[in-house]
Every structure is written in structure tokens, then in C-alpha cells.
Amino acid sequence: MGRQRGPHAASRCWEWECGALTMADPRGLDSVSGPAPGARRRAWAELLAGRVTRQKPGPGTGQKVQDSAVRLLRSHLDWSGLLLEVEGPPCKKLCLGPLIDHDGPEACSNLSTSFIGSALRDHASQLGVPVAVLSSQMAASSIVRMCAAGAEHAHRVLLDTEQRKKLSSLIEITQYLLAHSMFSRLFFCQELWKVQNSLSLEALWRLHVHNVVSLWELLESCADLQAVVSWLFRNLRLLCEQVEAPCQHTDIARAMLSDFVRIFVLMGFQKNSDLRRNVEPEQMPQVARDVLERMLLFALEALAAGLQEESPAHKAVSCWFSTFSGQTFGSIISTDAPKRFFSHTLTQILTHKPVLRVSDAVQMQREWSFAKMPPLLTSLFRKLFVILSPEELVGHLQEVLETHEVNWQHVLSCVSTLVICLPEAQQLVHDWVARLLARAFESCDLDSMVTAFLVVRQAALEGPSVFPSYADWFQASFGSARGSHGCSKKALVFLFKFLSDLVPFEGARYMQVHILHPPLVPNKYRSLLTDYITLAKTRLADLKVSIENMGLYEDLSSARDVTEPHSQAPQDVEKAILLFEHTGKIPVAVMEASIFRRPYYLSHFLPALLTPRVLPRVPDSRAAFIESLKRADKIPSSLYSTYRHACSTAEKNPENTAPGMKVEPNCVDEPLKLLMIALGGLRAAMTDPAQYDVLSAQIAVISERLGPALGVSEDDGSCEASKIQLSVLAPELEQQEQKVRVVDLLLTSFCQNLMAASSFAPPDRQGPWAARFTMTMCGHALLPAVLTRLCQLLHHQGPSLSASHVLGLAALAVHLGESRSVLPEVHVGPPAPARDLSIPEFFNSLLTCRTAESSRLCLKSVPVYMPLSAYRIIPARLCGGTCGRQSGPAPPGLVAAPDRPHQESVV
């Protein structure tokens, strides 16, 4: 393309279109018409006549030729080079750059947009180019110069104040040019993408928001779509970091991020969208999905690598996860795009890097409980659960597990979050597991069997308030003739082959469940069970865990590590003494252990029972229990003599007496402090109605921290006898100091939370938090201690309780009564009736109307016997009609001192 372009360039183009031999011959037309060897020389008339014959003119031929010529020029013509080669008469040229960069918006107001448009038209006419092309090229170069002005901030995606003013002026001019058909969007986009690395993401966003060019047009005009995906991902990540950074433009950054996410979701997940674009129909949705998937992949990999608080990566991940909210998708929630996007995102999470094997999941799943998950991951799951219904979520989990290789950590973490945050999903998960078991035994499907066991164990990790314990589930599924395993020998072989394959990988607690609650097997197939028990006991021996050394009252429902015998023994002693105190007989478990489990009985139980001490003048329950064992010949004479001699020495030197079961404070202060922090977090959520969706999550954290706060043998009260022994006249917990402290904390927290929540809503409209808290607090391990403490408060301290305390205890009694079907009966001593009582009947026995004070307490406690549908009247009856709907904080008497690790009483 030289300066001799005019007529010669036109003739060359004409020759090429007419089918001449070549454009490269410098001799022009004469050389073309020269004869070829052995061929007749043809005249120009013949050539032209043949051309016309081949292409007969028809309707629209002229328009087609014009469109073809325009496409040819757009594809092959370098407009920048053309502008450099054209020489016109001397004239004053207009340049938008200096006007925008130096004169500022004030100059734009002085020079009207109509004047700028007229000048551009004249200048384009002098150059001989379309005005739309000229104005687009000038606008693009002005934006590039404006973005380059902030080059000292190499990684900035936001403009500064001065740049925004300049861009605002340029947008105003561009909108005028668009309105008067003096601007080419396509050419403008192509010019921008030539220097995409110099562009600011905010500049593109503002062009989209002000309808100069849409993001659709910007993306489709780029030839290298993968480069665009990389550029957008890099800038979105930087934008997320800047959203969380302290700056004055945070609101702009959040608006940008929300708009980009909405646009990409609509691009990638809108069904049957009519693109009407110049690119292939599937390219633009794929670009949008690629950008969103890259952002999610970055976030998941950052979580897997571990994130430090306040690090740039942590800020970026937190910001990106915050876009999965109703605030972002509110304007497009009526479409199906957000639901498709959330389902796709959940699939990506569940299938991200499926490197863990089933054996890894069996060994590690205890570390993936809800309380141990990264908070960012749980927050993402909870946001995804908002749009998708529980039925859709369980169905999606099932579909992904059946059709993909999965990341077991993410799958099981999702199950924990599902049963914790969506109570209605708990039954759906239970039904799903039942279907998996039926399918597994029907066709010996190992995948279904693995999925069922992993899902059940994961859900059981979250506690009895969420899902039945693993021991209960296993016994219910395989402990009767109704189980799917009993239909044939093939099913039995399949079950025991599966359990045997698990032995090298699973924890001791699960094998203990299988041994002590074995599947029901017909006598002719008894060898299958015997072989498995032998294998499991061998594995337990390798782990240095013996069935014989298990605690007498150890709860197999817990999946935590097996308690050491020397740690479990003091708890077994206290439980045995408590049972002996109420029945006057040696407990059956102790008699059985003295015969069938002598290693544990002689090496651990008796030494814990015969701890030297100063004997009381009037024999107490411990002394009476020891004498009963001695009379039954269950204590060796030498051991008993050593014990009596040590007690005599202790009477002479009481300062040297070993405390035996006394727990050192420094061993429990830290777990107790963590439990108090978790309870404080629940209280903070109760006072903010906007955080009601996190209550279930916080209760799960409390459940997780109850075990360490109670000590390693937190599951000692498993209620094997399915009854609770309790003396109404003398309820005592002095021998279980640590449990007393934990129970007092829980009761105090329940009363405080009820008062805090009642400031915003009546009790019957506060959601399921109270029932969940009650079930967490009154699992089999703590229920006897809770009932004993309630007996002390209601029967012995009732008249001194304030209305606020009675309100909390009454509400607790209501929820205990609602759960009576899953709680054991209570066998109480005098003066109660000599029979086993349900929980409501137990409270009825405590509230006797014998004096004026006790009658007033009974009147305050009337709501205890009302159904939950009438629960809303409790505040009005107890607090003069104002307590239940008060707007202030809870009464001072309910609030525990923040610096006290232990509160002696809830009163």
C-alpha cells in the first residue's frame, strides 16, 4: 500500500475481481494480454463477455457485492496504516486525546458534543474514511491513554478519581456519536482488544453500564477467546482482593463484581438464549463458564493449600464466595440461570480433584465434620443451599455419586452441612441411605454399600440431635430379621465381605459396634459372623484396644477415639456407685465384668474404686458398695487389705491422701473455655435476627466441643439399662464436678438465649434452635446430670427462682417432653411413685402444690404441660405479659460473668 494508491490501486483490484492472472506483474495490462505458448490470444472483450455470462445480475446483486467488499476491507485493510499514508491538503486536525486528557470535562461543556461531531465528520471527509471508523479509533486510543495514565499501579483494576472524570467525558461524547450513527462498536471493540493488557476492568464495566458497548459485544469481537478468559480471570481475582481491601471505592468494586457475575451467569447458564451474534452459538456461553470455573478452581485450591487470615488469597476467596448470595442474583432470580449455575458449581466442588480413595475416606472422615471444616467452605455450601431445595440437593448428591469420580472430603463435608443447616434434609438422607442399602443387597452393588456407610457415619458424627448414632443405625439396619442382609446367603456373604474389607482402615470404635451389636445371622451361617469377629478382634489387638478392657458404661455411639481403660475406669466407678445407691444392689454390668471381663475389672475398675481416702464415720455410698463387693467375694482379700491399710494411713496423714478422681483445673480449663466461646457465639447469633440461618451451624460447634469439655470419657452415661436412676430427696452431683460445670453452663446459656430470642419473636416463632439445643444438651451422656440439676433447681430452689429462670426451665421442660419418645424413662426415689416415669411425668412429680410458694411456682410452670402450639403464651404468663415481647436485653440475673469459667448455679 504506497502513496500511488489512487487509480492504480483501484485498477489492480478491478483486475483481480475480473479474474486476471496476477497482480504482481509490473508491466500492467499489456503483459496480461500477451499470448501464452500454444494458446490463442484472447481480447479483453472476450474476457469481459465471459465474466458477464458467468454472473448474471439479479435482484439484490448490487447489495451483495457491496457487503462482500465491506467484509473484505474489514478483514484485510489496516486503517491505521491507511491513515498514515493518506496525504490531504493542510488542515487543522481534531484529536480527542488532548481534549479528554488535558482540557477535562469543563472543556467538553464549552465545546458541545455537536461541535465535536461536526469536526469529526469534516476531518473524516478530508481523510477519505468513514466517520464511524475515525471516531471509534480516536475513542479507543483515548481510553488506552487514560488507563495508561495510572501505569504506576500495575495491578489495579479500578480507576482513580481523575481517570473516572476523563472517562465520563469520553462516554458522553461517545453516546452522542452513537445516537447520530457516527460510531462503530465493532471497530471500537477490536481496537480495544489490541491493547487489552493496558485496559482497566472498571473502564470496560463503565462502557457496559452506560450502553456504549455491552460485554457481549466486547467478548465476541475478540479473536482469541482463551486470551480473553485468562485476562478476565486475572482481573476478577485482583478485583476480589481490592473489594476486601480498605479503600474508599469498595462500593464501586462490589457493584462491578456483582454485575460481572450476573452477566457471566446469564451468558453461561441461560437456557435457549438467543445470542444473535457473529460468533458460533456455543462460544460465548463457554467463555462465561470458563471464567466462573477458573475462579471456583482458584478458590478450592487455595482452601486445600490452607489460607492465612487476612492474606490476599483469603480475601479474594472470601469475596468470591460472597457473590453466591441473593443480593447478587436478585434481579435475575426469576430465570433458571442461577439454579443451573448453583447446581453446576456444586458439581464442580464435589468432583474437584478426586484423588482420595474410599479407604482414605474411611480413615479420615472424622476430620471432616462440620465443626472442623474451613468456615469459608461451610459458608459456600450454605449459600448454595439457599436456592436449591433439600430434595434437589439430596437428588443432586445421589446423581453426582453415581456418575462421577468424587472428592470424598467435599462430598462428606457437604453431607454434614446438609444435615446441620437443613433439618428437613435429615429424613431425606435417612431415606436415601435406606435406598442405597436395598440396592446394594439386591445386586451386590459395592458402590452403593460404600456410599451408604460413609454417609451414615458422616451424619452420625454431628450428634444425636441431627442423626441417629452409628451404633443405633447399625443395630436397626442389621440387628433384626427385617434387615436386607437376611434375605439370602449371598446377601450375608456380601455384607461380611464388605465389613472384613473395612477392617484394615476403620477405627476401633466402629469395630466395637460390629462386635457388641452384631448382625442377626441364622445359625447355619454363624461361621460368617464368627470369622468376622475373629478378624476384628485381631485388628483391635494390633491397635492395642481390647473388648475386655472396654469401659462398663462406654457409649459406642461416639465415633471418637477409644477411651483408655485407666481414664474410663473412674467414670465407670461413679456410674456403678450411683446405680448401687438407688437400687441397693450390685449393678449387673459390674457382676458380668467380674466374670467375663476380669482383665479390665481387676486392673482398672477395682483400683479406681479402691482409691485410698479418709473414710467417713458414717459409711457413704462408696463404702457401702465396696463392702457389698467384698461380701460377694468380688474383691481379692489382698487388694482389700491393702486398701484398708492405705485408708488408715490417710487418717493419720490426710495431707498425703491422693484425691483419686479429682480433676486438676489446668486439665479442663482450656476445653471449658472453648465451650464458653462457642456458647457466646450462639448468644451473639440469637440477638441478631439476620443470623438465624447460622444457629444450626453454631449448635454443631457446641456439640463438637462438649466432648473435650467433659473429658475423654464423655460418653460414659450411655444408659444401657434404658432407665435413669434419680433420688428426688437428695439429688447429688458432687462426685462429677466437671459434668456439673458443663451442665450449669448449658442451662445458663439456654435461659439466656431464650430471653434474647424472645426480644425479637415469641418462642413458637423462633425456629428449631431450642429443640436442637435440647437434644445436644441431653444426649445419653448428659441427660442424667441435666435431670438431676433440674431436680435440684425445681424441687429444692424453686421458690427462689426468678421469672426469667422459670421461663427458661419451663421451655426446656417443654422440649424435653416433646422428645420423650427417644429419651429413657426415669426411676425416681421417694417421695415419688414407685414406678418408672416418662419425662413429663417426672416434672409433674417435682411440682407439688403443698405450700403457697410451691403453688406459685406450679402456676408459673403451667406452660410445661401445654403443647408447643400454645408455647407463645409462656412469656405473657410468667412475665406479666411483657417478657416475651420485650425489646431490651435479658435481665442481669441471667447473664454470667464473662471472666468466670464456671458458674456454680444458673440462679
Side-chain angles (χ1 to χ4, degrees):
M1 185 183 294
R3 287 197 172 91
Q4 306 298 327
R5 173 177 293 276
H8 295 288
S11 65
R12 283 197 295 272
C13 290
W14 183 81
E15 289 171 10
W16 183 81
E17 285 283 72
C18 292
L21 295 178
T22 179
M23 293 176 58
D25 196 331
R27 293 174 295 176
L29 297 176
D30 294 336
S31 65
V32 174
S33 60
R40 185 179 66 84
R41 182 188 182 95
R42 300 178 66 187
W44 271 107
E46 292 180 281
L47 291 173
L48 292 176
R51 182 75 172 179
V52 172
T53 301
R54 287 194 298 270
Q55 294 188 357
K56 295 182 180 180
T61 302
Q63 183 63 37
K64 291 181 180 178
V65 173
Q66 183 177 353
D67 293 342
S68 299
V70 170
R71 284 197 300 271
L72 181 64
L73 289 174
R74 281 184 175 177
S75 302
H76 300 284
L77 198 57
D78 184 358
W79 282 101
S80 300
L82 177 62
L83 291 175
L84 292 175
E85 292 183 3
V86 172
E87 285 185 348
C91 64
K92 185 177 181 180
K93 298 180 180 180
L94 176 65
C95 183
L96 288 179
L99 178 64
I100 299 299
D101 293 340
H102 304 295
D103 297 338
E106 294 81 3
C108 289
S109 60
N110 295 330
L111 290 175
S112 66
T113 53
S114 60
F115 172 78
I116 295 174
S118 177
L120 278 171
R121 189 180 291 108
D122 293 342
H123 194 54
S125 177
Q126 293 171 2
L127 295 176
V129 297
V131 62
V133 172
L134 179 63
S135 61
S136 301
Q137 194 274 337
M138 288 185 173
S141 62
S142 298
I143 289 179
V144 171
R145 283 196 302 273
M146 179 205 63
C147 294
E152 63 274 9
H153 306 288
H155 299 291
R156 283 191 57 179
V157 293
L158 299 177
L159 302 174
D160 57 31
T161 304
E162 187 63 27
Q163 288 174 319
R164 290 193 184 100
K165 290 181 180 179
K166 294 176 181 179
L167 183 60
S168 178
S169 301
L170 180 60
I171 288 175
E172 183 180 352
I173 296 171
T174 306
Q175 287 174 334
Y176 172 83
L177 298 175
L178 276 169
H180 291 79
S181 302
M182 299 170 60
F183 190 82
S184 170
R185 285 189 170 97
L186 177 60
F187 186 76
F188 175 72
C189 295
Q190 291 173 345
E191 289 295 308
L192 286 180
W193 286 125
K194 290 178 182 179
V195 288
Q196 67 181 25
N197 291 329
S198 301
L199 293 177
S200 167
L201 191 64
E202 184 181 348
L204 296 189
W205 174 68
R206 291 187 178 275
L207 292 173
H208 170 83
V209 170
H210 291 91
N211 297 319
V212 176
V213 286
S214 68
L215 191 60
W216 272 108
E217 295 170 305
L218 283 166
L219 294 179
E220 71 180 7
S221 62
C222 183
D224 190 354
L225 294 180
Q226 289 304 314
V228 172
V229 170
S230 299
W231 183 82
L232 286 170
F233 162 68
R234 183 170 60 254
N235 281 270
L236 283 176
R237 178 178 172 180
L238 293 173
L239 179 62
C240 288
E241 293 178 4
Q242 295 189 21
V243 166
E244 297 296 321
C247 67
Q248 57 181 343
H249 305 303
T250 302
D251 53 341
I252 296 176
R254 291 190 181 278
M256 286 175 56
L257 186 60
S258 297
D259 283 349
F260 276 114
V261 171
R262 275 195 299 270
I263 293 168
F264 290 142
V265 169
L266 283 175
M267 278 186 183
F269 299 95
Q270 181 64 39
K271 188 177 181 180
N272 298 328
S273 57
D274 184 11
L275 301 180
R276 293 180 294 181
R277 303 294 178 183
N278 297 326
V279 296
E280 297 180 13
E282 289 300 322
Q283 285 187 354
M284 297 311 298
Q286 189 59 46
V287 168
R289 288 195 292 265
D290 286 348
V291 173
L292 294 172
E293 287 178 6
R294 283 202 185 190
M295 289 298 297
L296 180 63
L297 181 64
F298 151 72
L300 294 178
E301 289 182 347
L303 284 176
L307 291 174
Q308 297 293 329
E309 290 284 345
E310 303 303 323
S311 65
H314 185 277
K315 293 178 180 178
V317 172
S318 175
C319 178
W320 182 249
F321 286 172
S322 69
T323 62
F324 292 83
S325 64
Q327 185 177 4
T328 301
F329 299 102
S331 60
I332 61 172
I333 201 68
S334 58
T335 68
D336 60 352
K339 180 174 286 191
R340 289 172 174 271
F341 170 57
F342 277 38
S343 297
H344 180 76
T345 300
L346 185 57
T347 301
Q348 295 298 320
I349 296 172
L350 300 178
T351 58
H352 173 66
K353 289 188 175 180
V355 296
L356 294 174
R357 297 170 298 180
V358 172
S359 58
D360 299 323
V362 171
Q363 290 176 300
M364 302 168 61
Q365 71 177 123
R366 284 189 299 167
E367 301 302 318
W368 302 336
S369 65
F370 183 87
K372 295 179 180 179
M373 271 190 285
L376 287 176
L377 184 59
T378 59
S379 69
L380 175 60
F381 279 134
R382 284 162 48 201
K383 287 180 172 64
L384 295 177
F385 293 171
V386 170
I387 290 183
L388 303 173
S389 67
E391 292 80 6
E392 290 172 327
L393 288 168
V394 174
H396 193 78
L397 264 174
Q398 180 177 349
E399 179 183 357
V400 170
L401 284 167
E402 291 175 354
T403 57
H404 294 77
E405 291 292 328
V406 296
N407 182 320
W408 280 109
Q409 180 178 3
H410 289 173
V411 168
L412 298 179
S413 298
C414 181
V415 170
S416 284
T417 308
L418 190 63
V419 297
I420 285 290
C421 297
L422 297 178
E424 56 270 34
Q426 297 164 11
Q427 185 59 43
L428 295 174
V429 171
H430 194 278
D431 296 340
W432 175 33
V433 170
R435 292 194 300 271
L436 287 171
L437 280 183
R439 183 191 308 170
F441 285 107
E442 181 180 350
S443 56
C444 293
D445 184 0
L446 184 60
D447 290 339
S448 297
M449 196 73 164
V450 167
T451 302
F453 270 73
L454 287 177
V455 169
V456 162
R457 292 182 179 186
Q458 191 68 27
L461 287 176
E462 307 306 332
S465 64
V466 173
F467 204 82
S469 68
Y470 177 73
D472 292 341
W473 174 83
F474 189 84
Q475 193 170 12
S477 300
F478 305 107
S480 66
R482 294 177 298 177
S484 303
H485 67 291
C487 58
S488 64
K489 179 181 179 180
K490 181 181 179 181
L492 283 172
V493 172
F494 175 67
L495 172 63
F496 286 108
K497 174 66 166 58
F498 171 75
L499 294 178
S500 299
D501 291 341
L502 286 181
V503 166
F505 310 105
E506 64 181 344
R509 181 69 73 193
Y510 294 118
M511 286 184 283
Q512 289 176 338
V513 170
H514 301 160
I515 293 172
L516 297 180
H517 302 289
L520 181 64
V521 178
N523 290 332
K524 58 182 177 179
Y525 302 133
R526 196 73 180 175
S527 60
L528 295 173
L529 175 61
T530 305
D531 292 344
Y532 170 75
I533 291 178
T534 302
L535 177 64
K537 286 186 175 182
T538 302
R539 175 59 179 165
L540 289 173
D542 294 340
L543 297 174
K544 297 181 180 180
V545 175
S546 173
I547 293 292
E548 289 76 11
N549 280 341
M550 284 181 58
L552 303 184
Y553 303 101
E554 198 166 348
D555 187 6
L556 297 177
S557 65
S558 172
R560 296 183 176 88
D561 292 333
V562 176
T563 305
E564 292 294 332
H566 63 272
S567 300
Q568 177 67 31
Q571 308 297 328
D572 287 343
V573 168
E574 295 305 319
K575 177 68 175 179
I577 292 175
L578 184 63
L579 293 175
F580 174 80
E581 179 183 347
H582 293 298
T583 62
K585 299 179 181 180
I586 300 174
V588 175
V590 176
M591 296 296 292
E592 291 178 348
S594 67
I595 301 173
F596 302 108
R597 299 173 58 189
R598 290 189 64 80
Y600 174 78
Y601 179 77
L602 294 175
S603 301
H604 301 285
F605 181 81
L606 286 182
L609 175 65
L610 302 177
T611 302
R613 60 172 183 149
V614 177
L615 296 177
R617 293 184 179 180
V618 178
D620 58 5
S621 301
R622 176 182 287 263
F625 180 53
I626 293 173
E627 293 303 321
S628 296
L629 287 175
K630 181 65 176 64
R631 287 193 298 270
D633 200 21
K634 296 301 179 183
I635 301 179
S637 300
S638 60
L639 188 61
Y640 181 77
S641 300
T642 303
Y643 164 71
R644 296 295 299 185
H645 177 72
C647 290
S648 301
T649 304
E651 292 179 0
K652 301 175 182 178
N653 303 289
E655 66 277 3
N656 297 329
T657 304
M661 292 175 296
K662 185 175 180 181
V663 182
E664 295 298 328
N666 59 346
C667 299
V668 298
D669 281 350
E670 186 63 26
L672 206 61
K673 188 178 299 183
L674 292 176
L675 177 61
M676 292 179 65
I677 293 173
L679 292 171
L682 179 62
R683 173 73 186 280
M686 297 298 305
T687 57
D688 184 0
Q691 296 191 37
Y692 274 176
D693 60 330
V694 307
L695 294 181
S696 295
Q698 192 63 30
I699 292 175
V701 176
I702 293 171
S703 178
E704 181 74 20
R705 294 182 180 177
L706 266 178
L710 288 166
V712 292
S713 53
E714 61 169 284
D715 302 309
D716 63 301
S718 61
C719 297
E720 285 183 2
S722 72
K723 296 178 184 178
I724 297 175
Q725 302 288 337
L726 185 64
S727 172
V728 175
L729 291 180
E732 295 182 359
L733 281 171
E734 287 77 5
Q735 302 291 343
Q736 306 174 41
E737 178 184 354
Q738 183 67 6
K739 191 169 291 188
V740 175
R741 300 170 73 181
V742 172
V743 169
D744 281 350
L745 279 176
L746 293 174
L747 290 178
T748 301
S749 176
F750 184 89
C751 294
Q752 292 174 342
N753 292 337
L754 184 72
M755 296 302 297
S758 298
S759 301
F760 301 97
D764 64 330
R765 299 178 186 174
Q766 293 173 7
W769 78 266
R772 294 286 304 277
F773 191 97
T774 302
M775 289 303 296
T776 299
M777 179 170 58
C778 295
H780 287 177
L782 273 178
L783 183 58
V786 169
L787 294 181
T788 302
R789 199 74 177 103
L790 289 175
C791 182
Q792 292 175 342
L793 292 171
L794 293 177
H795 191 73
H796 298 279
Q797 303 178 31
S800 63
L801 296 177
S802 67
S804 300
H805 296 111
V806 176
L807 169 63
L809 298 179
L812 179 60
V814 169
H815 288 288
L816 285 171
E818 287 293 309
S819 305
R820 60 184 176 271
S821 60
V822 297
L823 296 179
E825 293 183 333
V826 183
H827 184 82
V828 297
R835 62 188 180 93
D836 296 330
L837 303 177
S838 64
I839 295 295
E841 292 172 334
F842 166 69
F843 284 110
N844 187 32
S845 67
L846 296 181
L847 300 172
T848 56
C849 301
R850 295 183 177 180
T851 64
E853 290 182 343
S854 62
S855 298
R856 281 194 292 268
L857 177 63
C858 291
L859 290 176
K860 290 181 180 181
S861 303
V862 165
V864 170
Y865 309 105
M866 294 186 176
L868 285 177
S869 59
Y871 194 17
R872 59 182 176 272
I873 70 171
I874 292 177
R877 293 204 176 193
L878 296 186
C879 306
T882 60
C883 179
R885 293 174 174 82
Q886 62 181 342
S887 58
L894 275 176
V895 182
D899 57 343
R900 292 179 60 191
H902 166 52
Q903 195 167 351
E904 295 299 334
S905 172
V906 296
V907 178

